[in-house]
Amino acid sequence: MTKTDTAKNDAFDLQDFLPYLLNRAAEESSLEFQRAYKDRYGMLRTEWRVLFHLGNYGEITAKEIGERARIHKTKISRAVSKLELRRFLTRTPSERDRRVEHLKLTPAGKAAYRELCGIARQYDAKLAAMFDEDEAALLRKMLQKLAEMR
Amino acid sequence: MTKTDTAKNDAFDLQDFLPYLLNRAAEESSLEFQRAYKDRYGMLRTEWRVLFHLGNYGEITAKEIGERARIHKTKISRAVSKLELRRFLTRTPSERDRRVEHLKLTPAGKAAYRELCGIARQYDAKLAAMFDEDEAALLRKMLQKLAEMR
DNA sequence: GGATAATAGTTGATTTTGTAACTAACAAGC
DNA sequence: GCTTGTTAGTTACAAAATCAACTATTATCC
């Protein structure tokens, strides 16, 4: 379809707008992987993110997860509760500061993490294979930069 | 922070996982622009997407917007209703098929579109300036490919 | 050391999204 | 032409995200 007057005037193409492209690519690329944790474990995105952070970084607090992944504390709080219910993690109140809780994966949590890691690695490889190796590396670098800005 | 046993075993780094990176970059890069349409017009993301599609492609149906932007029809339906309430668009039932409605921006809708376009173009330039010109072009191409996969 | 501010995390109310069922109109096969 | 299936769009209900207010604890500073 050709563009109309309103568009020609300022030559703006939605299909080139970076935030739009990033959102579309993110949604699209999340879909397939989402099925893995949703169908298998009934997990939500925030939950696997918390799970992955714990698996990746070991014992850590809710606040630290929120800072790293830029997730709001209420979302984390609810995700942690659900993961605790499913016996995927345990909380230990900190000795030094009783407001803080240290979170840690249980063996079941680690098992889930490992399985999802495998699926994630495979899926990531599949996505990366859409590009040349050096292009994919550059893509990761640029996305990291965009994710870290502010 | 160093990685723990669970992570070392299978060398999976969350910070390199493409769907995670894409989501983080998308969220981060949307924030500033989101303020523009939220604060100025009280719009939600789906609403400006519909607005932009109408501004970009002219008269079009709800279904076509949904296909192009991969937005579910219920979301579109609600966004169209809100944009209509704000008098940013009008609906005209199709002559040939009375199930279909042709959507069109009003002058007010076009004005909002134009203003947001300006902001968008500026913001896009700012994002693109984080990279070399050819890198930014490659980024757009890769994102388009990821958005179109399936 | 006692008032004030700040921080970690939770809870509740409101808004937004997602899912499924629905209406109205058209299309196809017989 | 009438049953069966499909499509565009809406609506109702359930699930989830957002925002504000809250508790409990620690830090600050006079």
Side-chain angles (χ1 to χ4, degrees):
Chain A
M1 187 185 249
T2 63
K3 295 207 247 154
T4 58
D5 294 328
T6 33
K8 257 184 246 144
N9 291 340
D10 37 23
F12 180 79
D13 190 349
L14 193 49
Q15 303 301 327
D16 280 333
F17 185 39
L18 278 171
Y20 177 75
L21 280 174
L22 283 162
N23 273 289
R24 287 276 324 270
E27 281 165 32
E28 210 56 49
S29 77
S30 295
L31 269 180
E32 193 172 332
F33 180 59
Q34 181 174 5
R35 271 193 292 280
Y37 54 79
K38 210 168 188 177
D39 293 354
R40 249 182 153 63
Y41 297 105
M43 257 185 233
L44 301 176
R45 180 150 57 184
T46 309
E47 287 161 48
W48 84 251
R49 281 201 186 177
V50 168
L51 183 82
F52 269 49
H53 275 268
L54 287 171
N56 236 242
Y57 302 113
E59 201 163 322
I60 202 177
T61 72
K63 197 205 168 198
E64 286 168 319
I65 298 177
E67 277 165 3
R68 277 169 201 284
R70 300 217 204 263
I71 304 175
H72 195 268
K73 58 184 183 173
T74 61
K75 266 167 103 174
I76 305 235
S77 172
R78 285 174 173 129
V80 167
S81 296
K82 282 199 191 155
L83 289 171
E84 191 188 25
L85 269 176
R86 249 169 233 134
R87 312 245 184 279
F88 278 176
L89 62 76
T90 56
R91 322 187 193 212
T92 323
S94 167
E95 294 286 312
R96 293 196 328 229
D97 184 343
R98 269 170 300 160
R99 290 171 301 184
V100 175
E101 290 177 332
H102 296 287
L103 307 172
K104 211 169 110 181
L105 291 185
T106 62
K110 281 183 191 171
Y113 167 71
R114 262 192 298 271
E115 195 196 343
L116 286 174
C117 262
I119 297 173
R121 225 176 309 105
Q122 249 183 294
Y123 184 51
D124 188 87
K126 190 176 143 191
L127 289 179
M130 292 171 66
F131 312 105
D132 292 347
E133 234 175 90
D134 50 337
E135 283 178 346
L138 181 61
L139 175 62
R140 278 184 229 272
K141 240 175 64 188
M142 289 193 280
L143 292 175
Q144 271 155 6
K145 202 167 174 186
L146 286 166
E148 297 303 335
M149 74 175 168
R150 191 187 291 195
Chain B
M1 188 187 251
T2 62
K3 297 206 247 157
T4 59
D5 294 328
T6 35
K8 257 185 245 146
N9 290 340
D10 36 23
F12 180 80
D13 190 348
L14 193 50
Q15 303 301 327
D16 280 332
F17 184 40
L18 278 171
Y20 178 74
L21 279 174
L22 283 163
N23 273 288
R24 287 277 324 272
E27 280 165 34
E28 211 56 49
S29 76
S30 296
L31 268 181
E32 194 174 332
F33 180 58
Q34 181 175 5
R35 271 194 291 279
Y37 55 78
K38 210 169 189 177
D39 292 353
R40 251 183 153 61
Y41 298 106
M43 258 185 234
L44 302 177
R45 183 150 54 184
T46 309
E47 287 162 49
W48 83 253
R49 279 201 188 177
V50 168
L51 184 83
F52 269 48
H53 274 268
L54 286 173
N56 235 245
Y57 303 113
E59 203 165 320
I60 201 177
T61 72
K63 198 207 167 197
E64 286 170 318
I65 298 176
E67 278 165 1
R68 278 169 201 284
R70 297 217 206 261
I71 304 175
H72 195 268
K73 59 184 182 172
T74 60
K75 263 168 107 174
I76 305 236
S77 172
R78 291 192 252 250
V80 167
S81 296
K82 281 198 191 157
L83 290 172
E84 191 189 24
L85 268 176
R86 251 168 230 135
R87 313 242 184 280
F88 278 177
L89 63 76
T90 56
R91 321 187 193 214
T92 322
S94 167
E95 293 287 312
R96 293 196 329 230
D97 183 344
R98 268 171 300 162
R99 289 171 303 184
V100 175
E101 290 177 334
H102 296 288
L103 307 172
K104 211 170 111 182
L105 290 187
T106 62
K110 282 183 190 171
Y113 168 70
R114 263 192 299 271
E115 194 195 343
L116 287 174
C117 262
I119 297 173
R121 223 175 310 106
Q122 249 183 292
Y123 185 49
D124 187 86
K126 189 176 143 191
L127 289 179
M130 291 171 67
F131 311 105
D132 293 346
E133 236 176 87
D134 51 335
E135 283 179 347
L138 179 62
L139 175 62
R140 278 184 229 272
K141 239 176 65 188
M142 288 193 281
L143 292 175
Q144 271 155 5
K145 201 166 174 187
L146 285 166
E148 297 303 334
M149 73 175 168
R150 189 188 293 195

